Amino acid sequence: MVAGRCSDMGFFGSSEVVGIAADTLAFARSAAEESHPNEYMGLLRSEDATDLGLDRSGTVVTDVLVVPATESNPVSATVKTSLVPNDMRAAGSIHSHPNGVLRPSDADLATFGKGDVHIILGAPYRDHDWQAFDREGKRRDLPVLDVDLPDDEDFFDFTQADIDEELR
């Protein structure tokens, strides 16, 4: 939790995801391109929209968390579930399809159970080579928002009072 922010979200997004930060999507597209021809995989984290200066309720995807020991090859990426943190800001998942197909596979659908939004990035990873899905695998709208992201340095700036507030 970042100092001065508190969220009413619970595990895996009890607040609706209303968009993704443009910089976050650009980071993920770049990471997927670097991983090519292997799949890229990460978990999505979100911030309260009002904390980002938006006049709306809900959350915005602001971070991609890469889980250590993720194994990938040209047709799959596997996350060691024992290394996935219990994250109050968890929003869903993101991964690439090096073949460019922007549809979830049966294996993808099996992992979509947690979180409100799941993104597939397709080669060649340009601006429109991605699609968002809900947990059932249905396409969903996910606007790309131009918001100022919190400073990475602030991520570690918290007090015991902040922790206690988050756990309430």
Side-chain angles (χ1 to χ4, degrees):
M1 180 171 153
V2 178
R5 291 186 200 168
C6 69
S7 170
D8 60 357
M9 293 185 312
F11 289 108
F12 288 102
S14 62
S15 186
E16 179 188 3
V17 177
V18 297
I20 183 169
D23 289 345
T24 303
L25 183 58
F27 165 81
R29 287 181 26 245
S30 177
E33 188 172 16
E34 270 186 40
S35 297
H36 192 85
N38 292 329
E39 278 198 11
Y40 166 79
M41 176 111 192
L43 302 177
L44 300 174
R45 298 171 77 201
S46 63
E47 291 279 342
D48 191 279
T50 58
D51 289 344
L52 298 171
L54 299 175
D55 188 23
R56 59 166 45 152
S57 61
T59 63
V60 175
V61 174
T62 56
D63 298 291
V64 177
L65 175 64
V66 178
V67 178
T70 297
E71 297 177 8
S72 68
N73 60 53
V75 295
S76 70
T78 305
V79 172
K80 295 197 184 287
T81 55
S82 62
L83 297 177
V84 174
N86 287 330
D87 193 336
M88 299 296 283
R89 295 177 21 203
S93 67
I94 188 165
H95 76 280
S96 67
H97 282 179
N99 63 8
V101 174
L102 296 177
R103 288 186 315 271
S105 66
D106 289 341
D108 293 338
L109 293 172
T111 66
F112 282 7
K114 293 183 178 176
D116 291 333
V117 64
H118 302 278
I119 298 172
I120 296 175
L121 307 161
Y125 314 109
R126 294 178 305 237
D127 287 345
H128 299 289
D129 294 330
W130 68 281
Q131 179 62 55
F133 300 90
D134 66 15
R135 66 181 67 177
E136 283 86 35
K138 295 180 182 133
R139 287 179 184 242
R140 64 159 286 174
D141 186 41
L142 189 67
V144 178
L145 305 173
D146 187 20
V147 294
D148 290 327
L149 296 177
D151 186 358
D152 289 340
E153 298 286 323
D154 291 341
F155 179 77
F156 296 103
D157 184 19
F158 56 89
T159 66
Q160 184 62 47
D162 295 326
I163 294 168
D164 293 343
E165 179 67 27
E166 185 74 27
L167 294 175
R168 282 190 216 172

